[in-house]
């Protein structure tokens, strides 16, 4: 029995039989490709793989440590992914940076108002690399599809036989340090300056790292001078990245800077439908709509939600219906909202309505105060796990009946007053996206 099998056998003793039989039993350990600090396992499909990753990797890694006495990173993946990656000219240098995810294609990218500019830009440079805009700089929040888009261009160009390097700033830095240490800097420079397309993800991490900025600057100049396409992503506009050399900033701005916004409802729905298709999960229209309204913006959450739904429905053997979905998502929402506090809500309401937090929590009876207090109470009830007595205490009210009375009032208002409803929605969005 190899170490991987041993570990899985021990894991079997720690989890339920149902869990083991549904997920872990089919995990295959790759003794050949695994190394002393990396354990590779294959799962049957992407959903099971995601599920195992989120639920069991820590346990597995711990068991490895117990058995081998050293720290081991655990990689759960799909067999064909590693094989298809391998079949592409596996030179020694190529294994040093990340590989492109083949499912990040333009076809799988749903376009809407929030991302059409970024999409059009990246698509056009994938058709005419190095000639239109260089560099292309895509920025926006977490999970909005920046990596997906940049890799879609990478996939197109790689399939045409171009040498594409996709890397994060961290990998670029590690690679740099390794070559520096081994005194093989010419190889580092050759590798990055001779590629046809350079994709660097999350470039904001260059911030305050002078040495690597210097090296990156020369790489950048060499590539740009040779008409090679560069695509960069970041979480913010180049102007807003602190600790970035001026010459880099001005070069980033000199190409084409495109932003991505959180997707609007229709785009979210299209994304969910697409993910369902890709992962072979069947969901009804109303469930898809529900998921789309419940998640605020981070598209990455959609995958987590789908694998959760899929896994739970398998585990307890029920069909996925709306009630089931709501139940499963309850946890998800609570996780998302774990860092929303009463103080945070009161502060947001205070800022928005220009009323001091202490006044919102006071017993003042003026019309404005009562209005602000009601909104704050309602949001506290909706967005946190506090009970009515807890809220009564926080807002200095006699007891929970006062809270319950306020909530009733608000619910009536929500029904009859469209402006009020919009106000509440706006505030909810502000609070949930800032937390
Ligand atoms: P970012 O790099 O902006 O943090 P990613 O590119 O990693 O985000 O996207 C997170 C997940 O959401 C990925 O699985 C990606 O495929 C998916 N995704 C994001 N935007 C879209 C979209 N417009 N259409 C389809 N999938 C999307
Ligand atoms: Mg990314």
């Amino acid at each position: 029995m190899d170490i991987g099998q041993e570990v899985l056998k021990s894991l079997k003793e720690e989890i339920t039989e149902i869990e083991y039989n549904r997920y872990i039993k089919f995990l295959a350990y790759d003794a050949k490709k695994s190394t002393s600090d990396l354990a590779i396992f294959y799962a049957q499909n992407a959903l099971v793989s995601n599920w195992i990753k989120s639920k069991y990797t820590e346990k597995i890694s711990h068991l490895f440590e117990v058995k081998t006495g050293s720290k081991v990173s655990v990689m759960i993946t799909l067999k064909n992914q590693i094989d298809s990656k391998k079949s592409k000219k596996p030179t020694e240098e190529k294994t040093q940076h990340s590989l492109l995810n083949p499912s990040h294609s333009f076809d799988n990218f749903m376009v809407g108002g929030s991302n059409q500019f970024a999409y059009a830009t990246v698509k056009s440079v994938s058709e005419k690399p190095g000639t239109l805009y260089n560099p292309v700089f895509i920025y926006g929040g977490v999970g909005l599809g920046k990596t997906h888009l940049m890799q879609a261009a990478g996939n197109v160009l790689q399939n045409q036989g171009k040498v594409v390097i996709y890397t994060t700033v961290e990998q670029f830095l590690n690679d740099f340090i390794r070559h520096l240490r081994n005194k093989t800097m010419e190889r580092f420079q050759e590798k990055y300056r001779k590629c046809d397309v350079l994709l660097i993800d999350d470039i904001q991490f260059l911030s305050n790292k002078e040495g690597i900025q210097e090296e990156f600057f020369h790489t950048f100049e060499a590539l740009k001078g040779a008409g090679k396409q560069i695509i960069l992503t970041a979480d913010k506009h180049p102007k807003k990245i602190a600790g970035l050399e001026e010459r880099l900033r001005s070069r980033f701005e000199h190409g084409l800077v495109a932003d991505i916004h959180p997707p609007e409802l229709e785009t979210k729905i299209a994304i969910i439908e697409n993910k369902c298709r890709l992962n072979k999960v069947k969901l009804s229209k109303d469930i898809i709509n529900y998921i789309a309204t419940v998640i605020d913006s981070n598209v990455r959450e959609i995958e987590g939600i789908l694998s959760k739904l899929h896994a739970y429905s398998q585990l307890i053997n029920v069909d996925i219906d709306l009630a089931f979905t709501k139940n499963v998502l309850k946890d998800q929402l609570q996780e998302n909202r774990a860092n929303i506090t009463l103080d945070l809500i009161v502060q947001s309401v205070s800022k928005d309505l220009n009323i001091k937090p202490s006044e919102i929590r006071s017993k003042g009876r003026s019309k404005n105060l009562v209005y602000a207090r009601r909104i704050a109470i309602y949001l506290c009830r909706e967005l946190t796990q506090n009970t009515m007595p807890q809220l009564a205490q926080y807002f200095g009210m006699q007891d929970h009946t006062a809270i319950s009375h306020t909530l009733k009032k608000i619910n009536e208002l929500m029904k009859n007053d469209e402006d009020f409803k919009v106000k509440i929605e706006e505030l909810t969005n502000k609070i949930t996206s800032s937390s």
Side-chain angles (χ1 to χ4, degrees):
M1 198 189 291
D2 60 37
I3 176 79
Q5 286 167 313
E6 268 181 50
V7 162
L8 295 184
K9 201 171 143 232
S10 307
L11 181 62
K12 186 177 177 184
E13 283 151 28
E14 292 190 12
I15 61 182
T16 67
E17 202 178 324
I18 300 183
E19 281 178 284
Y20 180 81
N21 287 336
R22 275 207 212 275
Y23 304 109
I24 305 302
K25 194 164 135 190
F26 302 104
L27 264 189
Y29 178 67
D30 191 331
K32 277 214 189 94
K33 294 203 189 86
S34 297
T35 60
S36 59
D37 58 359
L38 175 70
I40 302 178
F41 288 93
Y42 302 116
Q44 307 111 286
N45 62 46
L47 282 180
V48 170
S49 163
N50 282 340
W51 181 247
I52 295 177
K53 262 187 230 166
S54 66
K55 290 290 268 198
Y56 305 106
T57 27
E58 236 172 80
K59 277 207 180 80
I60 296 177
S61 152
H62 178 74
L63 289 170
F64 265 101
E65 195 173 336
V66 169
K67 286 189 191 295
T68 65
S70 57
K71 277 219 178 330
V72 175
S73 311
V74 174
M75 180 173 168
I76 311 288
T77 181
L78 300 180
K79 184 133 181 54
N80 54 9
Q81 254 179 24
I82 286 217
D83 287 349
S84 70
K85 282 169 188 169
K86 252 195 70 194
S87 63
K88 281 184 194 127
K89 295 186 261 167
T91 65
E92 185 218 334
E93 290 297 329
K94 278 210 146 174
T95 53
Q96 299 305 329
H97 49 81
S98 295
L99 297 138
L100 298 169
N101 177 343
S103 66
H104 285 159
S105 65
F106 286 117
D107 286 346
N108 285 340
F109 191 83
M110 302 298 120
V111 185
S114 58
N115 57 27
Q116 61 188 4
F117 181 45
Y119 171 85
T121 307
V122 177
K123 184 96 197 320
S124 69
V125 297
S126 78
E127 286 156 6
K128 289 191 166 147
T131 53
L132 293 169
Y133 320 110
N134 211 4
V136 164
F137 189 104
I138 305 293
Y139 76 95
V142 176
L144 299 186
K146 301 182 297 294
T147 300
H148 185 135
L149 260 187
M150 118 187 300
Q151 291 205 353
N155 277 316
V156 166
L157 295 164
Q158 192 168 61
N159 290 338
Q160 295 168 1
K162 297 213 162 46
V163 178
V164 176
I165 294 187
Y166 166 80
T167 178
T168 60
V169 168
E170 197 192 4
Q171 285 164 337
F172 185 72
L173 181 63
N174 288 343
D175 214 12
F176 174 70
I177 293 171
R178 198 168 52 85
H179 280 95
L180 204 62
R181 204 182 292 136
N182 299 344
K183 305 204 167 45
T184 49
M185 273 312 286
E186 326 74 60
R187 284 193 29 217
F188 175 88
Q189 288 167 351
E190 159 129 1
K191 169 177 161 188
Y192 287 98
R193 294 179 196 180
K194 288 270 160 66
C195 66
D196 299 309
V197 180
L198 180 63
L199 313 174
I200 302 200
D201 216 350
D202 292 317
I203 200 88
Q204 72 272 10
F205 291 119
L206 276 183
S207 157
N208 295 322
K209 301 195 175 84
E210 286 87 17
I212 195 72
Q213 285 192 25
E214 164 91 28
E215 186 57 39
F216 178 66
F217 175 76
H218 295 297
T219 307
F220 184 98
E221 291 291 278
L223 287 172
K224 178 142 192 211
K228 304 297 176 62
Q229 183 66 47
I230 301 159
I231 307 181
L232 308 168
T233 72
D235 64 348
K236 39 179 116 50
H237 192 279
K239 264 198 189 50
K240 299 237 167 87
I241 304 178
L244 188 66
E245 280 181 25
E246 197 43 50
R247 55 181 183 173
L248 278 177
R249 184 193 321 280
S250 66
R251 276 163 183 79
F252 292 170
E253 286 181 62
H254 196 77
L256 198 123
V257 180
D259 55 353
I260 297 196
H261 296 277
E264 45 294 285
L265 189 64
E266 307 84 80
T267 314
K268 278 195 272 188
I269 290 175
I271 294 172
I272 298 171
E273 284 170 346
N274 183 256
K275 293 274 178 220
C276 285
R277 236 185 341 265
L278 289 177
N279 291 302
K280 303 198 173 55
V281 178
K282 279 209 165 65
L283 295 181
S284 66
K285 265 249 161 319
D286 53 341
I287 295 180
I288 292 180
N289 281 337
Y290 177 73
I291 298 175
T293 34
V294 157
I295 58 162
D296 331 295
S297 63
N298 185 342
V299 179
R300 194 169 294 144
E301 274 183 42
I302 291 176
E303 272 161 351
I305 288 172
L306 292 184
S307 40
K308 217 171 196 172
L309 280 177
H310 180 76
Y312 281 7
S313 81
Q314 293 253 307
L315 211 54
I316 56 175
N317 212 359
V318 297
D319 288 335
I320 305 175
D321 62 13
L322 190 60
F324 177 77
T325 306
K326 284 190 173 166
N327 226 332
V328 171
L329 292 199
K330 224 162 58 200
D331 298 345
Q332 181 93 14
L333 283 178
Q334 280 166 14
E335 273 167 37
N336 288 353
R337 293 175 174 179
N339 39 8
I340 299 182
T341 60
L342 300 180
D343 285 345
L344 177 85
I345 294 173
V346 169
Q347 272 158 22
S348 310
V349 175
S350 141
K351 217 159 110 193
D352 198 78
L353 301 176
N354 207 7
I355 292 177
K356 286 199 198 114
S358 57
E359 284 182 310
I360 293 183
R361 292 175 65 184
S362 73
K363 293 198 163 62
R365 299 298 314 164
S366 82
K367 206 170 151 215
N368 285 347
L369 280 188
V370 172
Y371 177 76
R373 189 172 310 127
R374 279 188 177 153
I375 291 183
I377 291 174
Y378 178 81
L379 291 173
C380 286
R381 178 70 181 168
E382 284 289 300
L383 302 177
T384 75
Q385 296 301 308
N386 286 276
T387 60
M388 288 202 217
Q390 282 166 336
L391 291 181
Q393 193 186 17
Y394 182 81
F395 284 96
M397 292 175 151
Q398 200 139 42
D399 57 21
H400 71 275
T401 49
I403 296 284
S404 140
H405 175 75
T406 305
L407 294 173
K408 245 188 232 137
K409 273 253 152 38
I410 294 265
N411 280 320
E412 269 164 35
L413 270 174
M414 296 270 277
K415 263 191 222 122
N416 304 326
D417 185 342
E418 192 57 30
D419 289 345
F420 181 75
K421 203 172 139 202
V422 170
K423 180 94 236 155
I424 292 273
E425 277 166 9
E426 268 174 23
L427 270 163
T428 305
N429 280 337
K430 260 191 210 159
I431 294 166
T432 49
S433 60
S434 72
S435 68

